[in-house]
Amino acid sequence: QVQVVESGGGLVQAGGSLRLSCAASGRTFSSYHMGWFRRAPGKEREFVAAFGWSAARTYYTDSADSVKGRFTISGDNAKNTVYLQMNSLKREDTAVYYCAVRTGVIIGTSVTATASYDYWGQGTQVTVSS
């Protein structure tokens, strides 16, 4: 079994910053990607960013309400941990943020799809106030 634990959420004013952490542990496994998703009130869970251990490649959402330029994902291989640094936070970033681990890559599946991930954390609440 693999445990995925998020931390770092909280309440912050608009324009502020938070750093989320996600640590994966448990039985020996190969993690190809670790990703961050979020679910805002009344909305579907959406992809935010992902980190690929091979070549330390990063992926970000291309949604209209993009986080590019504000959020940065990074990883620490030794700790099997990824981080999501969130700057210039907006009210619309308010959501429960989930971390997920993808242990294998099936051709034709996307790093941005929830179905591509095998293990999920419980989520951490991020609330941005005006």
Side-chain angles (χ1 to χ4, degrees), residues 3-4 17 61 71 74 84 98 108 114:
Q3 291 78 44
V4 181
S17 299
T61 178
F71 290 11
S74 61
L84 186 67
Y98 298 90
T114 57

Side-chain angles (χ1 to χ4, degrees), residues 29-35 53 100-113 116-119:
F29 68 98
S30 296
S31 169
Y32 282 84
H33 300 107
M34 288 179 70
W53 295 110
V101 174
R102 188 186 195 192
T103 60
V105 176
I106 299 175
I107 294 175
T109 60
S110 171
V111 70
T112 67
S116 297
Y117 291 80
D118 306 290
Y119 300 97

Side-chain angles (χ1 to χ4, degrees), residues 12-19 38 46 48-49 60-61 63-73 84-94 97 126 128:
V12 64
Q13 287 191 328
S17 299
L18 282 174
R19 189 176 84 150
R38 67 185 181 185
E46 65 175 357
V48 176
Y60 294 95
T61 178
S63 71
D65 185 23
S66 179
V67 303
K68 277 187 178 180
R70 300 189 297 119
F71 290 11
T72 303
I73 190 168
L84 186 67
Q85 177 67 44
M86 305 186 295
N87 298 328
S88 302
L89 283 161
K90 306 175 182 179
R91 287 192 63 185
E92 49 265 44
D93 294 318
T94 294
Y97 284 71
V126 171
V128 184

